[in-house]
């Protein structure tokens, strides 16, 4: 077998060219999603499938957020209907316990969900932290995010970020609702109040989290556990149906809004 010979400098040049082609493209987006956990990946899957230019920025060098840790590091989590339909669609194996309640393997769940989002056309960038938003007045709205290398932040270096535009920004950062928090603090005119999530009450939390997922200020949306933080909802623990359905609900809201805008212009 003859392996193609590529010298080191060519490797460097090809990586830089391919990377900067991508960064040039995704500096402007239909939707930016912050966080590649279950809600962010589900939103990315449906938005990309609808043909919207979708970029996900993920702080860590992996996918899945809280999926990977399973339940107290046990490698299974619970899914309830109707989210099982989505999992079937993307090829996740379900172990049925009772009507509408299933256990899934956390590794397969996060791999299949990430792969479904990427195959649908979403771009996922690892190792990048969103630490602020961009906004415009008249009318007041969030119009994008500020991004920084996670490594730069961890090193505590004083480095200015780059800015990325989006018609819609989704906070899918989990319990801390990091993007909505920074927007509420730095742009008080948005009128966002963050009461914080309540203790566990799973059956109520699942329903309310999905229902209350959506726009929290013009251009800024909450999905997943960020919703419980912003809407003072209870937590639910290692049951993940609402995370997937929350991502889908936010994607559907954005698709409808952006399509309406196109029709009206
Ligand atoms: O925490 P996470 O999994 O959020 P989620 O989609 O799902 C929550 C569940 O995993 C679980 C639960 C369900 O019952 O309670 O906790 O709401 O994923 C959030 C992702 O966002 C990344 C973080 O590394 C994780 O992968 N993230 C957080 N803040 C930032 C970020 C940030 N500022 N910039 C980029 N990525």
């Amino acid at each position: 077998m003859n392996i193609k010979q590529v010298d080191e400098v060519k490797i460097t040049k090809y990586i830089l060219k391919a990377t900067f082609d991508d960064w040039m493209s995704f500096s402007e987006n239909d939707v930016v999603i912050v966080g590649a956990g279950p809600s962010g990946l589900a939103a990315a899957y449906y938005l990309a499938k609808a043909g919207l230019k979708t970029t996900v920025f993920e702080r860590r060098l992996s996918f899945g957020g809280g999926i990977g840790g399973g339940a107290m590091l046990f490698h299974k989590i619970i899914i309830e209907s109707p989210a099982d339909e989505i999992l079937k669609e993307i090829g996740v194996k379900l172990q049925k316990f009772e009507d509408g309640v299933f256990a899934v393997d956390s590794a397969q769940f996060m791999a299949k969900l990430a792969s479904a989002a990427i195959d649908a056309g979403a771009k996922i960038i690892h190792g990048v932290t969103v630490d602020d938003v961009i906004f415009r007045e008249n009318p007041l709205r969030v119009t994008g995010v500020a991004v920084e290398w996670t490594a730069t932040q961890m090193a505590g270096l004083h480095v200015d970020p780059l800015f990325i535009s989006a018609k819609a920004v989704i906070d899918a950062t989990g319990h801390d609702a990091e993007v909505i928090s920074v927007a509420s603090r730095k742009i008080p005119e948005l009128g966002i109040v963050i009461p914080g999530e309540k203790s566990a009450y799973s059956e109520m939390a699942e329903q309310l989290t999905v229902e209350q997922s959506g726009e929290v200020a013009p251009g800024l949306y909450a999905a997943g556990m960020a919703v419980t933080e912003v809407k003072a909802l209870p937590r639910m623990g290692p049951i993940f149906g609402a995370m997937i359905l929350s991502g889908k609900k936010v994607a559907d809201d954005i698709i409808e809004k952006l399509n309406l805008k196109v029709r009206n212009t």
Side-chain angles (χ1 to χ4, degrees):
M1 186 189 3
N2 284 329
I3 296 183
K4 172 85 179 163
Q5 297 185 350
V6 190
D7 76 45
E8 299 83 351
V9 176
K10 271 192 185 159
I11 296 173
T12 303
K13 285 185 174 171
Y14 293 157
I15 285 176
L16 290 178
K17 169 85 176 82
T19 302
F20 286 111
D21 284 352
D22 266 8
W23 276 86
M24 285 297 282
S25 163
F26 65 64
S27 56
E28 291 176 295
N29 302 276
D30 290 319
V31 186
V32 159
I33 300 171
V34 188
S39 66
L41 290 175
Y45 170 55
Y46 285 104
L47 288 161
K49 216 169 134 177
L52 294 178
K53 189 176 171 191
T54 303
T55 301
V56 183
F57 292 107
E58 167 53 52
R59 164 180 288 156
R60 295 192 283 184
L61 298 180
S62 59
F63 309 111
I67 301 175
M72 214 185 86
L73 291 183
F74 293 127
H75 67 284
K76 298 285 181 185
I77 52 178
I78 299 301
I79 291 287
E80 76 281 39
S81 68
D84 58 307
E85 292 302 326
I86 298 173
L87 269 64
K88 271 183 218 144
E89 182 183 316
I90 62 173
V92 178
K93 210 171 144 202
L94 299 153
Q95 180 184 354
K96 185 174 171 183
F97 278 105
E98 55 181 271
D99 261 357
V101 184
F102 309 85
V104 299
D105 190 291
S106 53
Q108 190 191 41
F109 179 27
M110 66 185 181
K112 293 275 186 187
L113 192 55
S115 148
I118 293 166
D119 289 350
K123 179 67 77 175
I124 303 180
I125 308 297
H126 286 131
V128 172
T129 292
V130 168
D131 70 0
D132 203 346
V133 297
I134 318 173
F135 75 106
R136 289 291 180 271
E137 289 169 332
N138 306 317
L140 182 65
R141 68 181 287 112
V142 169
T143 56
V145 294
V147 296
E148 185 58 90
W149 301 120
T150 303
T152 303
Q153 288 213 329
M154 289 170 80
L157 299 175
H158 183 168
V159 177
D160 267 325
L162 285 176
F163 296 106
I164 305 287
S165 79
K167 294 171 191 152
V169 173
I170 302 177
D171 185 335
T173 63
H175 293 266
D176 293 332
E178 290 192 23
V179 184
I180 296 171
S181 295
V182 75
S184 75
R185 198 172 65 247
K186 291 183 151 191
I187 320 169
E189 306 90 292
L190 289 173
I192 303 170
V193 177
I194 304 186
E197 76 176 22
K198 293 184 177 160
S199 298
Y201 185 168
S202 302
E203 52 271 56
M204 181 188 270
E206 287 287 277
Q207 183 74 35
L208 291 178
T209 301
V210 179
E211 281 172 15
Q212 298 195 26
S213 297
E215 199 168 25
V216 295
L220 182 58
Y221 293 74
M225 291 311 287
V227 180
T228 65
E229 183 71 8
V230 175
K231 305 285 183 179
L233 303 180
R235 66 188 300 197
M236 67 290 284
I239 179 163
F240 276 63
M243 297 297 102
I244 302 299
L245 295 167
S246 165
K248 182 175 189 311
K249 157 88 168 44
V250 170
D252 289 344
D253 286 0
I254 292 173
I255 291 161
E256 197 187 324
K257 202 157 225 177
L258 294 187
N259 284 343
L260 199 71
K261 226 171 169 182
V262 170
R263 279 202 296 275
N264 289 340
T265 50

